[in-house]
């Protein structure tokens, strides 16, 4: 994830916030819709942006444009007030993103890209946003399910790749196979 001094989001498993500023930012864990928006921004990637229109459609599809924009402004205000200065950024009037916030999913995917399966397995803390749900928000919940499935597939492939390596013993290989079967029983 980001350096040890910065704010970090743990999204593999139950959501957690740690690092510098975590005491203040952890209040977002008790605000489901605001936390969901923070997660959605974080999952865009480091320094990446999400379009406000996309956010409005995903989080406030039932609201008229004026009410939806007001709700987004209020949520961004809450996030900005709980994160370190400069963490919530904008690019023009139409895009918003996060910077300087470490996300375990990004670290997990980077270790997989580097072929470091053992490190990826160590980073995997469980299903993406385990236990978190925005009731009545089918768009966001559907997105979470797709992300969860994508990350679980990557984890299973990583465990299987490790189990096939010739430099690990049979017991370790069996544990990895059991782990993969537990994650994807079908």
């Amino acid at each position: 994830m980001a350096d040890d001094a910065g704010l970090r989001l743990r999204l593999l498993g139950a959501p957690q916030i740690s690092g510098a500023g975590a005491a203040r930012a952890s209040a977002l864990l008790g605000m489901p819709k605001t936390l969901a928006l923070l997660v959605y921004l974080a999952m865009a990637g480091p320094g990446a942006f999400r379009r406000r229109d996309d956010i409005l459609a995903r989080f406030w599809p039932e609201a008229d444009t004026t009410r939806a924009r007001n709700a987004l402004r209020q949520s961004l205000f809450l996030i900005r007030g709980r994160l370190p200065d400069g963490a919530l950024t904008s690019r023009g009037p139409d895009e918003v993103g996060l910077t300087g916030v470490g996300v375990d999913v990004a670290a997990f995917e980077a270790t997989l890209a580097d072929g470091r399966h053992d490190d990826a397995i160590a980073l995997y803390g469980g299903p993406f946003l385990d236990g978190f749900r925005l009731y009545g928000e089918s768009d966001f919940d559907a997105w979470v399910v797709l992300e969860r499935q994508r990350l679980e597939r990557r984890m299973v492939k990583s465990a299987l790749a490790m189990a096939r390596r010739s430099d690990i013993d049979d017991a370790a290989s069996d544990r990895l196979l059991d782990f993969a079967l537990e994650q994807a029983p079908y």
Side-chain angles (χ1 to χ4, degrees):
M1 282 194 302
D3 67 54
D4 291 334
L7 190 69
R8 294 180 304 281
L9 297 178
R10 182 179 179 101
L11 304 177
L12 293 169
Q16 296 176 5
I17 300 174
S18 62
R24 184 169 175 80
S26 290
L28 295 171
L29 295 172
M31 303 174 197
K33 199 159 201 175
T34 305
L35 177 62
L37 177 56
L38 175 66
V39 167
Y40 190 65
L41 294 173
M43 288 294 290
F49 293 87
R50 299 268 190 196
R51 294 197 49 80
R52 288 178 191 258
D53 290 342
D54 176 50
I55 295 168
L56 295 174
R58 186 169 305 276
F59 287 91
W60 295 279
E62 74 291 342
D64 63 64
T65 303
T66 302
R67 283 185 34 229
R69 287 188 182 281
N70 187 46
L72 175 58
R73 265 192 305 278
Q74 289 175 4
S75 293
L76 292 174
F77 178 80
L78 287 170
I79 291 171
R80 183 174 281 115
R82 295 293 178 172
L83 296 185
D85 289 341
L88 187 65
T89 60
S90 294
R91 183 167 60 187
D94 297 328
E95 296 179 316
V96 63
L98 290 178
T99 186
V101 176
V103 181
D104 64 342
V105 174
F108 170 74
E109 295 197 281
T111 59
L112 288 177
D114 290 344
R116 298 183 351 240
H117 299 286
D118 48 346
D119 291 338
I121 290 168
L123 282 171
Y124 191 77
F128 177 67
L129 291 181
D130 195 21
F132 182 82
R133 189 175 165 125
L134 267 187
Y135 295 98
E137 301 298 329
S138 61
D139 251 12
F140 180 78
D141 287 337
W143 175 79
V144 168
V145 168
L146 292 173
E147 283 298 305
R148 186 177 291 146
Q149 290 170 345
R150 181 182 71 80
L151 293 165
E152 284 175 351
R153 277 193 308 274
R154 296 203 70 196
M155 182 68 251
V156 168
K157 285 180 182 178
S158 186
L160 292 174
M162 283 290 294
R164 286 192 287 267
R165 284 183 27 187
S166 62
D167 64 334
I168 64 170
D169 61 42
D170 288 343
S173 179
D174 287 346
R175 280 193 305 277
L176 287 164
L177 290 172
D178 287 343
F179 175 78
L181 185 60
E182 181 181 303
Q183 296 302 310
Y186 304 107

